[in-house]
Amino acid sequence: MAKIIVVTSGKGGVGKTTSSAAIATGLALSGFKTVVIDFDVGLRNLDLIMGCERRVVYDFVNVIKQEATLNQALIKDKRTSDLYILPASQTRDKDALTQEGVEAVLNELAETFDYIICDSPAGIEKGAQMALYFADAAIVVTNPEVSSVRDSDRILGILQSKSRRAERGEAPVEEHLLLTRYNPERVQAGEMLSVADVEEILAIPLLGVIPESEAVLKASNQGTPVILDQASEAGQAYQDAVQRLLGGQLEHRFLEVQKKGFFQRLLGAK
């Protein structure tokens, strides 16, 4: 039976879709058959991050409305075997996502996939609530700033009270914290919350800390999940996060200000 993981946040622009693409890719690279679904009906960004926007013919809503089969709508990733993308519709309203329709699609996917990653819209509107309702686990993505962390705390409240597991009195949704755009120098200068600050406020297990990196923007513009850029710190941090998600015990990296070497200081490197 597939494990359904929602990647969610209270605030927009925190790197949720980037994280969904990276984590789904990492799971597929680890040998698990994985599908990532874009729940952001009306906007649709996942296909851009995954570099498959020109291959979208049918979408999530088409499948729900039975205008296309799941097989017609799923896009196989060109770079990573075992990875598939189910894009959102750009022309429909979020009301097109019905609980019965979403459940039927998830049940069909669960027959052949190990992991179903739900890329949720930000906030608490219908698309977001639909994405988290069926979740077995949630990756809460937040930036190290007060407004982002506060909004993430609200999402945790919804997960604990409005998910299917909560309604049925089952084991609670497994919660993970993914801290993105982390800059140790800004933390040291008091311009950004520390990892300890965020952990204290949200009180959920830390899955990963993704450093602020130009590699993320570069990868997004190229339509390539940043986890494939293993030369970058962001790519390495996402790979670490995936291994922790799979039960690995890894130390967290990129949390401290890097000391500059002699030649870096001599050349005035930033």
Side-chain angles (χ1 to χ4, degrees), residues 191-261:
E191 299 170 357
M192 190 176 270
L193 296 175
S194 69
V195 172
D197 292 334
V198 179
E199 285 185 295
E200 185 178 348
I201 295 166
L202 296 181
I204 61 174
L206 182 64
L207 181 67
V209 179
I210 313 302
E212 198 168 43
S213 171
E214 291 179 4
V216 174
L217 180 60
K218 182 181 176 184
S220 296
N221 287 337
Q222 292 176 341
T224 305
V226 70
I227 196 170
L228 295 175
D229 181 3
Q230 280 297 287
S232 71
E233 291 186 348
Q236 294 168 38
Y238 273 117
Q239 186 60 55
D240 287 355
V242 169
Q243 293 311 308
R244 291 188 197 99
L245 190 63
L246 294 172
Q249 302 294 317
L250 281 76
E251 289 285 326
H252 289 279
R253 299 189 278 170
F254 317 118
L255 306 188
E256 307 296 331
V257 176
Q258 296 296 310
K259 291 181 179 177
K260 294 171 185 173

Side-chain angles (χ1 to χ4, degrees), residues 131-150:
L132 66 80
Y133 179 75
F134 297 98
D136 299 311
I139 296 173
V140 180
V141 184
T142 187
N143 291 158
E145 56 182 60
V146 173
S147 63
S148 181
V149 174
R150 180 195 62 198

Side-chain angles (χ1 to χ4, degrees), residues 30-169:
S30 298
F32 297 97
K33 193 171 183 184
T34 305
V35 60
V36 56
I37 307 173
D38 191 345
F39 272 79
D40 205 352
V41 175
L43 289 177
R44 197 171 89 188
N45 286 313
L46 179 65
D47 55 308
L48 291 171
I49 301 287
M50 299 297 296
C52 64
E53 68 277 9
R54 293 178 185 173
R55 297 165 63 200
V56 176
V57 178
Y58 295 109
D59 56 53
F60 191 15
V61 173
N62 289 138
V63 179
I64 288 174
K65 299 281 189 185
Q66 297 186 333
E67 297 162 350
T69 66
L70 195 50
N71 192 53
Q72 287 176 296
L74 283 173
I75 299 170
K76 191 177 190 304
D77 188 69
K78 289 182 285 190
R79 294 167 296 256
T80 310
S81 61
D82 292 329
L83 180 59
Y84 292 78
I85 301 101
L86 183 55
S89 171
Q90 279 185 309
T91 58
R92 306 291 183 100
D93 188 83
K94 287 179 172 58
D95 289 334
L97 295 180
T98 64
Q99 191 164 303
E100 298 76 18
V102 171
E103 184 172 19
V105 173
L106 292 176
N107 286 343
E108 189 175 346
L109 289 168
E111 293 174 10
T112 53
F113 286 91
D114 299 308
Y115 285 96
I116 300 170
I117 309 299
C118 302
D119 179 27
S120 170
I124 56 172
E125 44 81 12
K126 185 171 182 180
Q129 291 197 21
M130 203 66 68
L132 66 80
Y133 179 75
F134 297 98
D136 299 311
I139 296 173
V140 180
V141 184
T142 187
N143 291 158
E145 56 182 60
V146 173
S147 63
S148 181
V149 174
R150 180 195 62 198
D151 289 348
S152 292
D153 207 18
R154 190 176 184 193
I155 291 295
L156 289 171
I158 292 170
L159 279 166
Q160 291 159 7
S161 60
K162 290 190 174 183
S163 66
R164 181 170 63 174
R165 284 176 169 269
E167 285 182 1
R168 292 179 175 179

